[in-house]
Structure formats: C-alpha cells, structure tokens
Amino acid sequence: MRRNNRTKLATILTAAMIMGTLPGQAFADSADSGGASAAAGSETAVQSGTNAQITKAKAEALARQYVNIPKEYTLQGTGFSSEQLAVGKRNTWSLDFVKKVNGKQQGSIYVRIHADNGQLLEFRTYVDNPSAKPTYPLKVERGAAQKLALEFIHTLAPNYESQVKLNTEYGVSLLPPLTGQVRHMLRFDRIVNGIPYADNYIEAEIDSEGHMMSYSLRWDETIVFPKVSATLTAEQADAKLRAAAKPELVYIIPYSAKGERKPVLSYKLDSLAIDAVSGDTKDRTNISYYRQGTVSTTPLTAKPDGTKPSNSNITEQRAVELVKAAFKLPADAVLSHSNYSENKDEYSGKTNAYWDLNWTITKDGKEQGFLSATVDGQSGAVRNYYNYNYSASPEKGETDKAPVSLQQAMELASATVKKQLPWLTHELYIVSHKPETYEGKSAGEIGSYRIEFVRKVHGATVEYDNVGVSIDSRTGEVTDYNGNIADFDYPASPPGVITKDAAISKWLGYYRTELAYQLVQQYWWEGQPIPYQKMLVLIAAGEASESQLTTKNEAELVYRLVPRPLDESIFLDAETGSWRNRETGEATQLEKPKATDIEGHWAQRQLELMVAYKALDVKDGKVRPSEQVTRGELIKMLVLARNSGNSPMYDMGTASAALEKASFDDVAADSSYFVYVESALAQNLIDIGDGSFNPDGKVSRDEMSKLIVRALGYNALAEYDHIFKASFKDSDQIENKGQAAIAVGLKIMSLSDGKFLPGKLVTRAEASVAFFRYLQTRADLAEAPLRM
C-alpha cells in the first residue's frame, strides 16, 4: 500500500518548535528592546565577567525554553558579545548546543539571547539525518508556513507582532516545487508610519514538514525615523526616477546558449533611489561595485597603439623572453616550472594555447617569493603576471617614506597596458580613484594600487573582459597584471539599437516603485557632519583620532526601484528591445502566458505544473491537453522532474563542435530539446538505438511505462517480469510487462476496465498526471534504488 503523505495542519503545528510557556521575568524593561542592528553587524568579544542583567545560566535556561532544546543536547560553547547599534551598543549571549551519539555529532542548535532583557534574537538548527526522506506534495505549503511563523512571533516576540508585515515577495519561488526538500523562507519587514524599513525584520525558515529551522530578529530601536509631512506623489516619483535613469550599453554572453556563443548587446539599468521629498537622486557610493571608481570618458588612445600579434607557435624559451621583456624580474628569479596546455575558450569556443611559467625567488639560499606568468602560445601576448615576495621585510624606514602617487601609479599602469595590449588601447578606459583616499598615507599604509581598465566596443562595456594592474606604492613596480580578453569578433560599426528612452520604459516595466526607509550613516567631528573621505584624510594626517569621531545612523525616506520577482534571470536586448533569458539567450517575457483551456480540467494542477516549467508550450493561450504528447516533450518532462526543475547545463562551444557532440541525427544543437535529450542519454534513461530519436513522434503507454520505471531505477528488476502477478486482460499485447506492472502497482499509471492499453498514445494531460505521480512515488521510494 502506498503511504499517505497528507497530514492535517493541526498535526504539523505540534511539530513546530514554538511550544512552551515563557517566564514572566524573561523580558526586563529596557529602552532597547530590539534585535541586531542593520547598520553594523560587527561583534566584539568581551570578558564573561560582565554586569549584564541576564547571566549565562539564565541565558541557557531561556534558550532551552524558547527553542525547546531536547535534554540530550549539551551546551558546548558560550560567547558574550557587544553589537553596534545606530546609537550605542547591545550585549548578547551566544550559545551552541550539540547532540553527540558515540562521539559523532548528529545535531546542533545555535541560539542568541539579548543579554539585558532576555529577548530571543536568533536560532539556527542542524540535524544530521541522512535517512530522512522528503514527501511530495509538500505537507506544509507556504501559506501554512506563514501561519506557523506568526504563531512563533506571537509566542516569542509579542512586542514586535504589531510592527511587522509579511514581505510577500521575499523567498517566494515562482515555480511550484518538484521535490519535497523545500524550505520556506519568510520575512516580516518592520513598518514605521505605515512605511516599510526592510533592513529591520523578523525572518523565519520552515521546512516542508512544518519544523522551524531558523529564526532571526534584526531590529534596532535606536534608529531615528524622520517625520515627513508631505512627499512626492507616486506619479511625481515615477517621473523623477525616469529622469534619473541612465541605461548603459553592455556586451554580455548568455552562458549556456545553444550553438556558438556570441556577444549580445544589452541595455543595463541598475536600481536607483530618489529622496521622497525633493526628488534628488540618492548617492550610491555606499554600494559595492565590481569596479570601484569613476570610468574615464576617453580611452587610453584615440587610435590603436599597435597591431595584434599574428599567430605563431611560441616556444618555451620565447615565452620566457617575452615575460622578461614585459616585466622587471628580480635577478635571482629562477625558472622552476613550465607547462604548455591547450583548451577551448568557454566563451568563444576557439582552441587556445598557453604557456604557464613559474619562477622561484631565493636570497641567501632561502626561498623569498615566486613569480608566475601565462603567455599566449599562439600570439605571445602575456595574459597574466604575478609577483609575490612573502619573506623579505621592507628596508628600514621604507614603510614610512613618501609613496608613489596615485597619478604616477595610473601612468605606470597605463604604460603597462599599452605595451601588452597595443591593438586595444582605443577601447580601454582607465578607472580613476579619488586621490583624497590616499592623502596623508605612507607607502606602508597604501601597500599597492589596483588600477582597473574597462573595455568598450563602440561605447558598449564588454562585461566579460578583465584588464587590471597592481602597482607597488613603494617601488612603482608591477606586482600583478591581468589581460584576459575573450577572442570575439565585433561589428566594424555600431549596430542599431533602441533609444535610451525606449530602454528606460522597458526597465521601468520590470521595476516597481516603492516608498521606503533606508539607513544613512553619517560621520561627525567637532559637532559637525564630515564626508567619509575627508574623515579618512584627517585620521591619516593625525589631525583627528577615531575616538573624536562619532557615527550617526539615521533613516531617510526614499522612493526606490524594486525588481519584480521572476523565475528566471533576464536581460534587455539592445538591438531588438525584447527580453531574453540570461542563461540561454532565448526570447522571454515579463508576464508569463496563462492557459485558457485547462480551467476546471481534471488534470489542471498537473498541466499547470508542466506549463510553469515550460515542459509544455502554450500557443495562443492554449495548452491543448487532449493533444498527444511528443517524445521530445516527454523527455523534457522527465529530465526536469529528475533535476528539480532545473534545465541541464551542457557545454556546447561552437556550432560545429556542438554538432559533433549531438548524439542523435535528428536532434541538433539548435533544437529546443537538445540539452534534455543529451542529458537523458547521459543518465541512461534512453538508448542511442539507430541514432534517430524522433522528437516529434508520439508516445505509447507501453513506451511511457518503460521510461518512468527506468527513471525510478527499477528497470533491471522489471526485466524479471515473471515475479509480478499483473493479470492485465491485455498482457499478451504488452512488450514491457515488468515495467507496466511496476507503473500500475505504484499507481503512476492506471488501468481501464482491467486493460493496460499498451498501444494507446498518451495525451499531454495524461503525461502530466503520470509525471506528477512519478514525483510523489520518487519521494516515497527515497531509499537507494536498484542500478539500471
């Protein structure tokens, strides 16, 4: 008999770790009744001999009661820390509980308690239970998990219950799960004056069995929220955001596109925010970018400084000479290793050759450092160089001497790039740093400058190229160089693209406008606000110490762009103005098509599942459930089901190489079924046969039973069909008797008046139901199956 996985919510509630009555003295009165700060998360360990109101013993007792920690979990470690808030600090206890059986750790629970008022701030659980198996469909769906989380908040954080609101987008999976191994991530944002402040929140993680796996209260009561009497209207904010938007042309590579990989010109527009009252664009310097600094508006040179080296076979000796000519190698550097290799470029698909060279630096018989370099084995261009001296200390007073200036470092880096990449100097733009960052600092404090270069082709940033130089601030020598340029061909003239206004309209359809609070960190000195960069200069010059500086963290009200939740990563094609999938490069859309012909259908849920994962297509709003399913569609269903809904990754390289890899003569690299058919073959779910797959062919029930049983891992067992007592009325017509018996016995497929009907062609609806049942059965049979 098939085990019934369906359990009522009332039963699940008892499994959640939220039971237990709280002691009345658990919460002492305190001006700070909050949790961890969003402004700063650093913790500083202090002596355990503290005057905190909550003792270590009391913290352990509270932790065991809040989280209902089983007695077999022993306290293994305790920490007392101080957390920085917007104003002042907060003390916390951290406790680690561990369960061990025969010396092996089988579970752990981490709990963090407010050391002054006893509030539960955080807990995380881990259980090593490899025999646990998921159930499908889920016992606890997201809606039920929300109720569990609210019960937990009501019990353990009642003071915050009225101050939070569920973030309906956070942690939401837009695709229905294909496995029982699901954890619902829930976040309840702090609401101030009816407006969300998303950096303070209560977060809960609940598994599909209804167990609370982790909980976190991130809260700071010391933040000051401004009182704003009037703000821009939503319409005014949209107009301001549109005016502030600056879309950028960027070349990207869809990383698993079919056939030959080629650069695609896209329009990129990052999220931005404006002041909710004035409409001024907010400074984004506190956001970490891949390339820090300001990109120059002009390239290194107006025209190329030279020509690209022609291809030739570079010997080891020639490669060594090229490195020595390009960089200043120490006189005592000895070549210790060399290696020649060829590999296919993951982007261009072209075969490249490289020399990897390594030198050892010794002094007085002791190893002092090393050098490494990569040289293109065809053109001789140095791709990478690295110089590291790890044992020699600076000469006396060298760390205090005046450093090479930022301007000098930029000039040295530019000269290096011009020498190594002369044919690209008209497309390379230096990234400038703010000079005040280094003012007043010694060479020892600076260490080295990292100077980056951005490549632009016809004004469009090339995202995947990487050029950078590190300059030692003491010696002015190059210590690190990267000149990694993908070998692609670009159009001789700029291609036609949609207008920036059109791109902005597209992106503003992707983002939504939200009124929200965000935190701003300000530095004050002698009672006056001071810019962050100037603060660094004052400290470096010795005119101010950190103890004289104060930090104020205040919230500001902004309108900001928030991306809409999607089940895929996308980009905007700059030439066509259409949305495309970032992974495959295939055309897509923000609004997913909805089927109009399955409402009320007996297989509606299962059909919706297959449509969501694009296993079945929707044409003119119709799924066509009564149409016969094709072999290609069936294989796609199976591979997606086995891969938790993820499309298999397949490295196809160039079109010609992909065609060589195509296992079937009728499923080429440009077929929408290619990766699924190849994946099924690799997993031994299908056979090569005569080399023809027939993706548009129809599928009989006999064929489908064999495919499903093979996917379950019981195909070898099915070959012993005599052990199955399957008395089908039409058994003599079934080719795969064992597979049919297993599929029916597991209730994946059903009989019709005692007949299996092996030759009957399967409809799209029937296939969807069969694979939904396959997912259920696979969860029930989680033990290791027989080998195929």
Side-chain angles (χ1 to χ4, degrees):
M1 291 290 291
R2 192 178 192 280
R3 180 173 56 84
N4 184 5
N5 287 330
R6 304 184 185 279
T7 312
K8 293 183 179 180
L9 177 60
T11 304
I12 298 304
L13 283 170
T14 63
M17 301 168 63
I18 63 174
M19 298 299 119
T21 304
L22 299 184
Q25 69 272 26
F27 304 103
D29 293 334
S30 173
D32 169 25
S33 60
S37 169
S42 60
E43 296 187 2
T44 305
V46 298
Q47 295 294 327
S48 58
T50 175
N51 59 357
Q53 296 184 34
I54 303 297
T55 64
K56 183 177 76 171
K58 182 63 175 176
E60 180 182 355
L62 289 173
R64 287 187 176 278
Q65 189 160 6
Y66 292 158
V67 190
N68 193 20
I69 298 174
K71 292 181 179 180
E72 59 266 27
Y73 279 73
T74 59
L75 183 62
Q76 186 180 52
T78 307
F80 186 86
S81 303
S82 177
E83 295 178 338
Q84 184 69 48
L85 300 173
V87 179
K89 296 182 178 182
R90 170 181 49 236
N91 295 327
T92 65
W93 284 108
S94 299
L95 304 101
D96 284 292
F97 299 87
V98 173
K99 176 185 177 181
K100 290 185 177 181
V101 177
N102 297 326
K104 180 182 178 181
Q105 183 170 317
Q106 290 194 337
S108 64
I109 301 175
Y110 168 82
V111 184
R112 198 157 57 88
I113 302 287
H114 194 304
D116 294 322
N117 64 21
Q119 173 68 55
L120 174 66
L121 299 178
E122 181 181 8
F123 81 81
R124 299 190 301 270
T125 64
Y126 169 75
V127 178
D128 182 15
N129 186 11
S131 63
K133 58 183 180 182
T135 57
Y136 188 86
L138 309 184
K139 283 184 179 180
V140 174
E141 300 281 359
R142 187 172 178 84
Q146 292 173 14
K147 294 179 181 179
L148 288 174
L150 287 171
E151 286 282 350
F152 196 96
I153 294 171
H154 177 76
T155 304
L156 291 180
N159 294 340
Y160 303 90
E161 188 175 9
S162 63
Q163 302 180 61
V164 296
K165 182 179 180 181
L166 177 69
N167 186 325
T168 57
E169 294 182 353
Y170 180 82
V172 174
S173 174
L174 299 183
L175 291 172
L178 290 181
T179 173
Q181 296 173 322
V182 171
R183 291 195 175 186
H184 302 291
M185 297 298 299
L186 303 163
R187 178 172 290 185
F188 298 82
D189 291 335
R190 181 179 182 180
I191 304 297
V192 181
N193 302 324
I195 300 168
Y197 172 54
D199 288 334
N200 276 186
Y201 53 82
I202 298 176
E203 189 172 274
E205 181 186 23
I206 299 175
D207 71 12
S208 58
E209 297 285 323
H211 302 126
M212 182 76 73
M213 304 305 295
S214 67
Y215 167 87
S216 179
L217 171 64
R218 302 291 175 183
W219 209 277
D220 187 349
E221 292 284 0
T222 69
I223 297 174
V224 177
F225 292 90
K227 294 181 179 180
V228 178
S229 57
T231 65
L232 298 173
T233 65
E235 292 76 14
Q236 290 171 328
D238 286 339
K240 290 283 187 179
L241 287 165
R242 173 178 282 274
K246 300 290 187 287
E248 177 188 4
L249 284 171
V250 178
Y251 273 109
I252 65 171
I253 301 292
Y255 35 85
S256 63
K258 300 183 184 72
E260 183 180 2
R261 289 177 175 175
K262 295 180 180 179
V264 180
L265 192 57
S266 69
Y267 261 121
K268 179 182 177 182
L269 180 63
D270 291 325
S271 176
L272 61 125
I274 59 170
D275 188 283
V277 177
S278 66
D280 295 336
T281 304
K282 302 307 297 183
D283 184 13
R284 293 171 56 85
T285 55
N286 62 325
I287 298 178
S288 177
Y289 289 94
Y290 172 66
R291 293 185 175 98
Q292 295 283 353
T294 304
V295 180
S296 172
T297 57
T298 57
L300 292 180
T301 60
K303 295 181 180 181
D305 235 14
T307 58
K308 186 177 181 179
S310 58
N311 286 352
S312 60
N313 293 324
I314 303 297
T315 64
E316 177 193 286
Q317 182 179 351
R318 179 57 180 157
V320 171
E321 292 172 351
L322 289 167
V323 175
K324 290 182 176 180
F327 302 99
K328 182 181 178 182
L329 271 64
D332 47 5
V334 178
L335 184 67
S336 57
H337 177 76
S338 67
N339 179 65
Y340 176 82
S341 61
E342 295 180 357
N343 67 284
K344 185 170 293 184
D345 187 281
E346 63 174 325
Y347 292 123
S348 68
K350 299 179 181 179
T351 299
N352 297 322
Y354 297 100
W355 278 103
D356 292 311
L357 307 170
N358 292 274
W359 287 263
T360 301
I361 304 172
T362 57
K363 187 175 183 180
D364 299 328
K366 294 183 178 180
E367 188 172 324
Q368 187 177 15
F370 66 89
L371 301 170
S372 64
T374 302
V375 180
D376 192 304
Q378 297 170 334
S379 68
V382 179
R383 291 294 188 98
N384 298 282
Y385 171 80
Y386 184 61
N387 180 345
Y388 183 64
N389 191 322
Y390 52 80
S391 61
S393 58
E395 298 294 334
K396 184 178 180 181
E398 194 172 33
T399 56
D400 299 324
K401 74 176 184 180
V404 172
S405 69
L406 173 62
Q407 183 60 37
Q408 290 172 321
M410 292 175 64
E411 291 173 358
L412 289 167
S414 297
T416 300
V417 170
K418 288 179 181 179
K419 184 177 181 181
Q420 299 306 314
L421 302 169
W423 66 96
L424 292 178
T425 55
H426 64 304
E427 295 178 346
L428 295 175
Y429 297 71
I430 194 168
V431 180
S432 302
H433 295 256
K434 293 182 178 180
E436 54 265 32
T437 303
Y438 303 100
E439 287 181 5
K441 290 187 176 181
S442 67
E445 292 172 317
I446 294 174
S448 63
Y449 298 98
R450 180 63 182 178
I451 311 299
E452 300 280 351
F453 296 82
V454 173
R455 185 186 180 190
K456 293 186 178 183
V457 176
H458 305 311
T461 300
V462 180
E463 182 184 70
Y464 37 84
D465 284 348
N466 177 20
V467 179
V469 183
S470 292
I471 303 293
D472 190 305
S473 64
R474 295 172 298 161
T475 64
E477 292 183 2
V478 175
T479 58
D480 187 23
Y481 165 77
N482 292 308
N484 297 311
I485 303 293
D487 190 11
F488 283 118
D489 295 323
Y490 296 90
S493 57
V497 297
I498 63 173
T499 65
K500 287 191 174 183
D501 282 343
I504 291 172
S505 295
K506 283 280 189 177
W507 275 110
L508 292 184
Y510 167 77
Y511 290 108
R512 65 174 175 83
T513 303
E514 179 186 64
L515 179 65
Y517 287 108
Q518 68 180 23
L519 202 64
V520 178
Q521 192 173 54
Q522 293 183 333
Y523 295 92
W524 288 63
W525 182 56
E526 294 184 346
Q528 297 294 324
I530 181 173
Y532 175 73
Q533 297 294 344
K534 187 175 181 180
M535 177 201 75
L536 295 178
V537 173
L538 288 174
I539 294 176
E543 298 179 25
S545 64
E546 292 187 24
S547 60
Q548 295 174 304
L549 295 164
T550 58
T551 304
K552 290 187 178 181
N553 298 283
E554 297 181 351
E556 60 181 2
L557 194 57
V558 299
Y559 276 105
R560 62 185 182 185
L561 295 179
V562 179
R564 70 163 66 196
L566 294 175
D567 58 11
E568 60 182 332
S569 178
I570 62 173
F571 70 92
L572 180 63
D573 189 310
E575 297 185 57
T576 65
S578 61
W579 293 108
R580 296 171 65 178
N581 184 286
R582 183 64 180 83
E583 178 182 341
T584 65
E586 296 177 352
T588 188
Q589 50 193 356
L590 300 183
E591 299 291 341
K592 302 304 178 187
K594 293 184 178 180
T596 60
D597 61 343
I598 59 174
E599 184 69 32
H601 192 279
W602 60 271
Q604 178 179 342
R605 181 185 182 188
Q606 292 87 348
L607 285 163
E608 288 174 340
L609 187 71
M610 294 303 153
V611 169
Y613 283 95
K614 299 180 181 178
L616 295 177
D617 61 346
V618 178
K619 292 182 180 179
D620 300 323
K622 296 183 178 181
V623 181
R624 312 174 306 283
S626 298
E627 268 190 20
Q628 292 161 352
V629 73
T630 68
R631 288 172 55 81
E633 289 170 338
L634 201 68
I635 284 297
K636 187 173 182 179
M637 286 183 186
L638 177 61
V639 172
L640 286 171
R642 286 174 59 88
N643 205 31
S644 300
N646 299 313
S647 176
M649 299 292 288
Y650 197 82
D651 182 17
M652 287 166 283
T654 63
S656 58
L659 287 171
E660 291 174 3
K661 291 182 180 179
S663 302
F664 296 95
D665 54 23
D666 54 356
V667 186
D670 57 355
S671 168
S672 60
Y673 297 123
F674 178 76
V675 293
Y676 301 99
V677 172
E678 294 292 339
S679 177
L681 183 64
Q683 296 179 65
N684 197 28
L685 302 177
I686 57 176
D687 299 315
I688 193 68
D690 62 0
S692 177
F693 177 74
N694 189 19
D696 297 322
K698 309 308 178 185
V699 182
S700 69
R701 285 169 54 83
D702 203 353
E703 290 176 292
M704 188 168 75
S705 69
K706 182 177 181 179
L707 187 64
I708 290 175
V709 170
R710 198 163 176 173
L712 286 172
Y714 296 125
N715 198 52
L717 178 63
E719 297 304 318
Y720 297 91
D721 54 18
H722 61 279
I723 68 175
F724 299 102
K725 296 180 180 180
S727 54
F728 305 148
K729 292 181 179 179
D730 53 356
S731 293
D732 58 331
Q733 302 173 31
I734 304 173
E735 180 181 350
N736 303 297
K737 292 182 176 61
Q739 287 86 346
I742 291 175
V744 172
L746 294 175
K747 297 184 179 180
I748 297 175
M749 299 177 71
S750 57
L751 301 177
S752 177
D753 191 25
K755 295 181 178 181
F756 184 71
L757 304 176
K760 183 179 181 294
L761 299 181
V762 181
T763 67
R764 290 155 73 91
E766 291 167 341
S768 299
V769 171
F771 276 96
F772 184 83
R773 292 174 179 171
Y774 160 79
L775 292 169
Q776 293 176 294
T777 302
R778 186 182 61 170
D780 283 347
L781 303 175
E783 290 81 11
L786 299 176
R787 296 180 63 184
M788 292 180 286

